[in-house]
Amino acid sequence: MSKKNNLTKVVAYRRALVSPKQGQTLQQLLSGALVNLTTAAQRTEPLDPQSTEVRVIGQHKVVNNMLCGYLSTYERGKSQPVITDDPNAANLSLGAVPPPPSAKGGKKQEYIPGVIFFAVLDNHIALTQSATMRGSTLEHHIAWLLKSKTSALPATTSLVLSDEAQKATKERIRQSHVKSIA
C-alpha cells in the first residue's frame, strides 16, 4: 500500500489593476491572447538577445470558469548542478548534469529552476510562487504578452498585479476566522 503524502503549498492572491481601464477583465484579455498564440514558440518571451533564456506559459486551460496554467522560465542547454551525497566523505564534490538527450522526434528537455501555477478569474489571480519565481515574474510576462506580443493593451497602459486585497475581502476573511485552506 502506498503512503499518502500531504503537500502544503502557499497560494498568493493578486488583483489585476489596469490603467487606464479597458473594457475587458484580465481573464478576457489573457484568454484572447492565448487563443491567438496557439504554439509555445509564439508565447515564448526571450530574456536575452540570443534567446537562450526564455519565459513561457507552458500550458493553459479553463477549469471551473477559471483560466489556469503555469509559467516557467529556463535556459536552453543549461546543466543542472549536482552534489555527490556521501556522508562518509571529508569533502563533497560538485558537478553538473546536462539536460537529457533529445527523445524520438527531436523534442529537447530542459531543466527549469521554477514554476508559477496560476488561476485567473475576472481580475483576480491565485498563484503559487517559488524561490526563483515570484508574482512579479508573472506580471511581467502577462504585460509582455498583452502589450508586445498581441497588442491587446496599448504600450502606454499600466498593468499591475497588486497583492493588496480589497477592504471588503479583508473584512470577510477576518470575520470568517480563516486559518488555512486545504
Side-chain angles (χ1 to χ4, degrees):
M1 184 191 288
S2 67
K3 180 181 171 185
K4 183 178 178 182
N5 292 330
N6 288 332
L7 180 65
T8 302
K9 283 285 187 185
V10 174
V11 177
Y13 167 81
R14 299 287 191 273
R15 186 168 42 103
L17 303 173
V18 179
S19 179
K21 290 189 183 269
Q22 305 296 306
Q24 295 180 304
T25 65
L26 178 65
Q27 183 178 7
Q28 292 167 328
L29 290 165
L30 189 54
S31 292
L34 294 172
V35 163
N36 291 327
L37 304 172
T38 57
T39 66
Q42 293 172 317
R43 298 186 305 271
T44 300
E45 176 186 9
L47 300 177
D48 63 4
Q50 295 79 26
S51 296
T52 56
E53 189 175 358
V54 297
R55 186 164 46 206
V56 63
I57 293 178
Q59 183 179 10
H60 59 89
K61 62 183 174 181
V62 176
V63 178
N64 294 331
N65 295 322
M66 292 183 291
L67 175 63
C68 301
Y70 74 83
L71 174 73
S72 63
T73 184
Y74 58 93
E75 191 172 341
R76 292 180 171 124
K78 184 174 181 178
S79 296
Q80 177 70 37
V82 294
I83 191 167
T84 303
D85 185 13
D86 183 357
N88 297 320
N91 297 301
L92 300 178
S93 61
L94 294 175
V97 176
S102 298
K104 294 180 199 172
K107 294 179 179 79
K108 294 181 181 181
Q109 293 184 332
E110 301 290 354
Y111 293 118
I112 56 173
V115 176
I116 293 178
F117 294 94
F118 63 88
V120 181
L121 180 63
D122 297 328
N123 284 322
H124 306 277
I125 302 101
L127 58 105
T128 60
Q129 303 177 96
S130 65
T132 57
M133 293 184 72
R134 310 303 293 166
S136 60
T137 307
L138 181 63
E139 178 182 306
H140 292 302
H141 187 71
I142 290 173
W144 174 80
L145 275 176
L146 298 178
K147 293 178 184 182
S148 301
K149 198 65 179 170
T150 64
S151 301
L153 289 177
T156 57
T157 301
S158 168
L159 171 67
V160 176
L161 300 184
S162 172
D163 60 359
E164 183 65 31
Q166 293 178 347
K167 288 181 183 180
T169 304
K170 284 182 186 178
E171 186 60 25
R172 261 197 337 263
I173 291 171
R174 189 187 66 73
Q175 289 177 354
S176 67
H177 305 292
V178 172
K179 294 197 183 348
S180 68
I181 298 172

